[in-house]
């Protein structure tokens, strides 16, 4: 039953258009397999990136207020899903620029977080510490606001993964009730 629920909207092959049927694959796992050409649908984590930008002189961290669901109106790190042609580092640089107007480079890898997504079921988030090298701070893309927030007065953070990356960067955050 779990497999049927997990694949309930996966019906047709993207290669030949044939009907997908849930059955055991060569690894003995239930997956949608095309009856016509044998193509197998694998449901995997969707990769995403998140950027931690610190202003250590003024004790602030860069946050964006979310413009769209999930978690509309909540504060988050500049972040987004990786495009198929991007490396994780390229995605982090692009998301930072798109959401904040700032140009940055990757300073270091913070870590990863595997968690729930209301859109894609599971997301594998990669956190990066970023260094700003240019640009002008202004909200863009899917951000209502982009600001350097006082670390001592941190708001609730929208996502567990972002909380994790902030904690791994030495920043304590409020636990929030409505969080994914």
């Amino acid at each position: 039953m779990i497999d049927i629920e997990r694949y309930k909207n996966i019906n047709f092959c993207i290669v030949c258009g044939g009907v997908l049927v849930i059955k055991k694959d060569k690894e003995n796992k239930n997956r949608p397999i095309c009856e016509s050409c044998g193509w197998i649908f694998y449901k995997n984590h969707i990769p995403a990136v998140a950027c931690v930008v610190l202003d250590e002189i003024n004790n602030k961290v860069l946050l964006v207020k979310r413009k769209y669901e999930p978690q509309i109106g909540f504060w988050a790190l500049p972040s987004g899903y990786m495009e198929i042609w991007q490396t994780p580092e390229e995605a982090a640089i692009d998301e930072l620029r798109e959401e904040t107007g700032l140009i940055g480079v990757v300073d270091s890898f913070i870590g990863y977080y595997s968690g729930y997504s209301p859109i894609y079921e599971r997301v594998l988030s990669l956190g990066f510490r970023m260094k700003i090298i240019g640009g002008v701070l202004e909200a863009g893309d899917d951000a209502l606001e982009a600001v350097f927030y006082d670390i001592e007065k941190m708001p609730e953070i929208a996502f567990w993964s972002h909380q994790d990356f902030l904690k791994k960067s030495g920043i304590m955050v409020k636990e929030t009730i409505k969080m994914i």
Side-chain angles (χ1 to χ4, degrees), residues 3-175:
D3 294 324
I4 292 170
E5 272 302 304
R6 173 159 287 141
Y7 299 116
K8 68 181 175 185
N9 295 318
I10 311 299
N11 302 309
F12 300 100
C13 178
I14 65 169
V15 175
C16 73
V19 174
L20 297 176
V21 176
I22 297 175
K23 59 184 181 180
K24 300 280 185 194
D25 67 1
K26 62 186 173 209
E27 298 172 342
N28 203 32
K29 295 178 182 173
N30 286 327
R31 301 187 198 277
I33 300 174
C34 180
E35 289 189 311
S36 299
C37 73
W39 180 80
I40 302 172
F41 177 86
Y42 293 94
K43 195 168 196 177
N44 300 317
H45 282 68
I46 300 297
V49 296
C51 304
V52 174
V53 179
L54 299 176
D55 175 353
E56 294 175 0
I57 295 170
N58 296 304
N59 202 33
K60 295 184 177 197
V61 63
L62 180 61
L63 298 177
V64 295
K65 185 178 272 190
R66 296 195 45 84
K67 189 176 190 177
Y68 304 112
E69 291 293 352
Q71 303 294 66
I72 188 170
F74 274 75
W75 290 96
L77 296 171
S79 59
Y81 296 109
M82 285 176 52
E83 300 290 347
I84 192 71
W85 58 84
Q86 292 179 314
T87 66
E89 294 83 359
E90 290 168 339
I93 291 165
D94 282 355
E95 290 298 332
L96 180 66
R97 183 186 43 76
E98 289 170 7
E99 293 189 2
T100 70
L102 297 175
I103 300 166
V105 294
V106 173
D107 185 46
S108 61
F109 177 65
I110 297 168
Y112 71 91
Y113 187 93
S114 173
Y116 166 76
S117 165
I119 300 170
Y120 298 110
E121 191 174 337
R122 300 289 293 179
V123 172
L124 178 64
S125 296
L126 307 172
F128 292 94
R129 179 84 180 265
M130 305 294 289
K131 178 181 174 186
I132 303 303
I133 59 171
V136 176
L137 181 61
E138 62 180 331
D141 194 29
D142 59 353
L144 286 169
E145 296 178 51
V147 298
F148 277 93
Y149 219 102
D150 188 329
I151 291 174
E152 301 299 320
K153 301 175 183 174
M154 287 287 288
E156 291 183 29
I157 302 299
F159 305 110
W160 285 321
S161 58
H162 294 194
Q163 281 198 10
D164 183 64
F165 298 144
L166 287 166
K167 287 176 185 174
K168 286 176 179 170
S169 298
I171 299 169
M172 296 312 300
V173 296
K174 295 178 188 177
E175 296 296 324

